[in-house]
Amino acid sequence: HLNINKKSSKIITYKKYVIIFMYKMTSKKELEDMDYKDLANLIFPDVKPISYYEEKYSKRDLPEGAIVTRFAPSPTGFVHVGGLMQCVINRQLTNQTKGVFLLRIEDTDQKREIEDGVAQIVNAIKDFGIEFDEGMLNETEEKGKYGPYKQSVRGEIYRAYAKWLIEQGRAYPCFATPEELEEMRKKQEAAKLRTGYYGVWATYRNLSVEEAAEKIKAGTPYIVRFKSMGREDRKIRHHDVIKGNIDFPENDQDIVIIKADGLPTYHFAHAVDDHLMRVTHVIRSDEWVSSLPLHLELFKTLEFETPKYCHYAPILKEEDGKKRKISKRKDPEAAVSYYHEEGIPAASVCEYLMNIGNSSFEMWRKNNPNAPMSDFQFDISKMSVSGAIFDLVKLLDVSKNVISKYSKEDIYNEVLEWAKRYDKELEELLQDKEYALKIFGIERGNAKPRKDISKWSEVKDTISYMYDDKFLNDTSEFEYGKISDKEEIKKILVAYLAKYFNIGDDKQTWFDKMKDLSEELGYAREVKEFKQNPEKWPGHVGDISTVLRVSLTGRMQTPDLYEIMQVLGKESVEKRITKITER
Ligand code: GLU
């Protein structure tokens, strides 16, 4: 316990008992004229001066208006959809302003850590096409000049700033035991007072330097606290970029800045890091807004320039007419892994999150249907203050639009990637790439592309009927439309195959032949005609087409039937029809 400075420890190992006595004798004299500087040296003898770090992490040379911001998760491996939204927005803003987006890992609470947690976060975000300019790449590697980007390896930096605060008389060692703190809390609760370490309750803030040094030298365990100069009865006003002006009482809590394990607390670490990493904008969820008075006092006391704070409201979910935060426990869509498992393309998710971030995005998209999302000018100040609603149905709708613009090759590649991970049967179907491309090419690449796919997990169902092996071996009964009599259906199909089917026909000819077939069998050639005199016919050309559609695909709704038949080819069409007519 007395191994505090090297000089005394040498003697101690020589002759223990005598030397302890001598040490106490001499140290008594030393203690009398100690000041904050000596106390700081006693607590942190071996740290560098803060000027070293100030120089090392000098101001960034960036264009005017460049935003430097960060994503600062704990390495739990879990990425919440709100975190992903933050990344989408941060990436957009930093690209827009030629700034920097960095990943800082906040792992000072080592209980919450999981193995591989950093790599999992990096990969989860990368899956959405987002990469960081600086920061951790995995548990041990990083890129960028403003690191280390993992708090647990920045210990000496935090200690340097904590030391400086002690030198200024703005931090002090606190020797309160857990029992003492518990006792204090009980008293505060019983008296219906705010809990915490502040004002008259902050017993150790008034210890003299000598008293503190004596306790340290005697080996009493301690932590380091910030000495707040705030008063609860005084108000401060802060301008948040999203929330506007907010009035708070000043902070008066003497929070812990360095814990017993030598690591900093989040509040202290984030201030030092945001300053040294030269962060200009702290964009984070508004659960942190109540900590702002403390953060502002920390920045001011540390003589750091305060970054712009942008606190966004959490994403909400509407349930039974009530709004609540999307919850990790209740909602599978809270985890970004959900979108991957479901096969909702990253581009769709990002586009939807941009939508939630700035409501003007929707209009912009309408006016610029084919522009890349990166062309949109994101305005951080226009983010919702009350919290935007996350609506899965809307997301899937956005996704249908996004996918409708994919080329057939892009669809093929993404679906295959997804299938490899989640659906072996689909992967199998996609082995014949040429055929799959034909299927994905149906009603695609034209002015009005198909919009029936919203996620990759739907693809198997939307294409399986295109495969003879699957289709012809399926024995389930089809549901037909208006014409449902089995004999009538057979009659229609027999006539079609015998007189009208020719795979080489162009679309117009094919359609004219459907009309001819209708007429021959006593149905109306034109839908319009039928509507004027519905009692005259048993049905119209549309009903006849439906018979063919259901017979060939097993379903009432499909993309363009002519194109489907072209992809199926002559043999498959004939097999499908005769399977019904010859039954
Ligand atoms: N580590 C904090 C969190 O995960 C970061 C908060 C901040 O962005 O300042 O919530």
Side-chain angles (χ1 to χ4, degrees):
H1 281 144
L2 287 169
N3 265 357
I4 293 161
N5 65 49
K6 299 232 171 70
K7 207 164 59 193
S8 59
S9 72
K10 231 185 234 159
I11 311 169
I12 286 164
T13 45
Y14 175 55
K15 228 175 195 177
K16 208 171 176 185
Y17 294 108
V18 181
I19 305 309
I20 289 173
F21 180 66
M22 281 174 59
Y23 177 84
K24 285 208 162 170
M25 294 284 286
T26 53
S27 65
K28 191 85 196 155
K29 171 87 194 68
E30 273 171 30
L31 284 173
E32 270 163 21
D33 31 56
M34 269 187 89
D35 59 12
Y36 287 139
K37 237 188 169 70
D38 301 318
L39 181 62
N41 271 329
L42 181 63
I43 295 177
F44 299 118
D46 303 319
V47 300
K48 295 192 176 73
I50 61 168
S51 56
Y52 170 82
Y53 298 108
E54 294 295 325
E55 263 166 53
K56 179 167 179 197
Y57 305 108
S58 56
K59 280 214 159 135
R60 293 170 184 270
D61 186 17
L62 292 170
E64 176 84 26
I67 288 178
V68 180
T69 189
R70 79 295 194 279
F71 182 46
S74 302
T76 57
F78 180 85
V79 182
H80 189 276
V81 64
L84 178 62
M85 177 172 83
Q86 192 189 323
C87 290
V88 169
I89 291 166
N90 287 359
R91 189 65 277 178
Q92 187 85 354
L93 285 169
T94 46
N95 285 350
Q96 243 165 250
T97 58
K98 304 205 168 33
V100 177
F101 181 27
L102 59 91
L103 174 67
R104 181 170 76 224
I105 297 298
E106 306 213 322
D107 59 344
T108 56
D109 180 4
Q110 299 192 320
K111 283 190 278 303
R112 294 177 60 202
E113 226 165 294
I114 65 154
E115 205 184 313
D116 224 24
V118 179
Q120 281 186 31
I121 291 175
V122 173
N123 291 332
I125 302 289
K126 204 178 186 169
D127 276 346
F128 289 87
I130 297 171
E131 294 201 36
F132 299 94
D133 303 312
E134 290 175 15
M136 298 310 293
L137 301 168
N138 51 45
E139 316 307 305
T140 49
E141 291 168 291
E142 61 176 34
K143 64 173 174 183
K145 288 196 209 129
Y146 288 79
Y149 295 92
K150 185 156 112 167
Q151 290 184 330
S152 58
V153 286
R154 296 172 64 80
E156 62 170 28
I157 306 180
Y158 305 122
R159 288 191 285 276
Y161 283 86
K163 180 176 185 178
W164 184 83
L165 281 178
I166 298 172
E167 285 169 2
Q168 312 305 308
R170 293 303 304 273
Y172 61 92
C174 169
F175 303 90
T177 60
E179 295 74 32
E180 258 175 84
L181 292 173
E182 178 59 19
E183 188 70 7
M184 179 184 91
R185 193 180 56 81
K186 280 193 189 140
K187 279 188 197 154
Q188 289 169 332
E189 276 170 1
K192 299 210 168 12
L193 293 168
R194 279 184 302 131
T195 55
Y197 205 82
Y198 63 93
V200 292
W201 301 97
T203 349
Y204 292 96
R205 84 181 252 153
N206 300 320
L207 231 51
S208 68
V209 167
E210 292 77 11
E211 286 167 318
E214 195 157 13
K215 277 185 175 298
I216 290 172
K217 290 188 175 179
T220 317
Y222 64 93
I223 45 97
V224 179
R225 283 185 189 271
F226 175 59
K227 189 186 274 183
S228 170
M229 292 299 172
R231 272 175 36 185
E232 221 252 342
D233 59 354
R234 274 196 315 234
K235 288 257 184 299
I236 45 165
R237 169 162 291 188
H238 176 72
H239 183 80
D240 184 272
V241 175
I242 298 171
K243 295 190 177 297
N245 288 340
I246 320 175
D247 294 321
F248 299 98
E250 283 180 358
N251 169 64
D252 65 351
Q253 298 274 348
D254 284 2
I255 59 133
V256 178
I257 56 174
I258 303 287
K259 300 181 287 181
D261 60 6
L263 284 175
T265 52
Y266 157 72
H267 300 294
F268 183 57
H270 110 282
V272 172
D273 293 347
D274 283 341
H275 167 67
L276 290 180
M277 294 177 186
R278 307 293 170 179
V279 165
T280 61
H281 288 63
V282 171
I283 303 171
R284 62 183 176 192
S285 132
D286 70 5
E287 66 184 295
W288 293 107
V289 112
S290 57
S291 307
L292 254 187
L294 164 64
H295 295 173
L296 295 172
E297 194 187 1
L298 281 172
F299 271 85
K300 192 166 156 223
T301 312
L302 286 158
E303 297 177 5
F304 297 161
E305 195 182 320
T306 313
K308 286 201 162 65
Y309 281 100
C310 317
H311 287 97
Y312 61 83
I315 302 179
L316 303 176
K317 181 167 171 137
E318 203 159 44
E319 200 177 52
D320 306 326
K322 284 198 204 87
K323 292 178 190 171
R324 60 166 177 80
K325 274 196 218 171
I326 282 206
S327 115
K328 182 172 160 181
R329 208 164 37 81
K330 292 190 202 145
D331 310 309
E333 69 269 32
V336 297
S337 51
Y338 167 84
Y339 304 94
H340 266 275
E341 285 152 21
E342 284 289 298
I344 303 176
S348 306
V349 178
C350 293
E351 176 119 357
Y352 181 60
L353 291 175
M354 193 67 92
N355 228 301
I356 298 193
N358 261 183
S359 55
S360 57
F361 180 79
E362 200 166 348
M363 191 46 94
W364 176 85
R365 180 44 92 207
K366 253 198 195 114
N367 297 333
N368 304 275
N370 298 313
M373 193 173 82
S374 52
D375 284 2
F376 175 68
Q377 284 294 309
F378 193 87
D379 185 347
I380 184 88
S381 69
K382 298 246 163 69
M383 282 188 78
S384 160
V385 175
S386 52
I389 305 273
F390 187 88
D391 180 354
L392 262 181
V393 177
K394 181 95 199 284
L395 163 61
L396 294 178
D397 231 45
V398 166
S399 189
K400 279 182 185 165
N401 273 311
V402 170
I403 294 177
S404 75
K405 291 182 196 119
Y406 272 49
S407 68
K408 58 186 177 193
E409 287 80 9
D410 285 348
I411 296 219
Y412 179 81
N413 293 336
E414 282 208 24
V415 175
L416 185 63
E417 266 324 294
W418 180 83
K420 277 185 190 159
R421 239 161 107 180
Y422 300 106
D423 191 341
K424 290 286 156 217
E425 205 186 344
L426 178 60
E427 187 190 356
E428 196 73 11
L429 284 183
L430 297 174
Q431 286 317 304
D432 183 349
K433 181 170 177 181
E434 206 183 322
Y435 189 62
L437 283 177
K438 279 192 196 161
I439 301 175
F440 292 132
I442 294 174
E443 281 191 66
R444 188 169 301 283
N446 52 9
K448 270 192 82 186
R450 63 193 277 191
K451 289 193 177 168
D452 58 338
I453 305 175
S454 64
K455 50 182 177 178
W456 308 142
S457 52
E458 285 169 357
V459 165
K460 188 164 76 186
D461 189 50
T462 56
I463 68 166
S464 59
Y465 63 81
M466 295 300 289
Y467 292 87
D468 281 353
D469 275 356
K470 278 196 145 342
F471 188 80
L472 295 169
N473 294 325
D474 185 356
T475 51
S476 43
E477 287 289 327
F478 298 152
E479 259 198 58
Y480 282 88
K482 188 151 151 198
I483 308 172
S484 60
D485 177 71
K486 280 198 176 129
E487 288 315 308
E488 183 69 4
I489 288 168
K490 281 188 186 175
K491 199 172 104 192
I492 295 168
L493 293 174
V494 167
Y496 180 68
L497 211 51
K499 282 176 68 183
Y500 299 96
F501 174 53
N502 173 12
I503 198 75
D505 285 345
D506 62 19
K507 192 161 182 187
Q508 192 54 50
T509 315
W510 174 83
F511 196 49
D512 289 341
K513 284 187 177 176
M514 291 307 291
K515 289 180 182 175
D516 296 344
L517 169 68
S518 307
E519 197 171 344
E520 179 190 324
L521 299 176
Y523 291 81
R525 270 189 87 85
E526 309 284 346
V527 182
K528 224 192 319 165
E529 204 177 25
F530 174 81
K531 283 197 175 144
Q532 281 158 3
N533 284 303
E535 61 298 330
K536 239 175 107 179
W537 294 279
H540 54 71
V541 60
D543 302 318
I544 296 288
S545 309
T546 299
V547 168
L548 191 59
R549 183 186 308 275
V550 176
S551 303
L552 291 177
T553 67
R555 47 196 84 192
M556 300 273 285
Q557 249 134 32
T558 68
D560 186 80
L561 185 58
Y562 171 78
E563 285 194 48
I564 287 180
M565 288 171 69
Q566 290 298 309
V567 174
L568 288 175
K570 178 168 183 288
E571 228 171 281
S572 173
V573 171
E574 284 169 355
K575 271 195 224 154
R576 287 170 188 230
I577 291 181
T578 47
K579 184 187 164 198
I580 296 169
T581 55
E582 287 171 8
R583 206 187 296 171

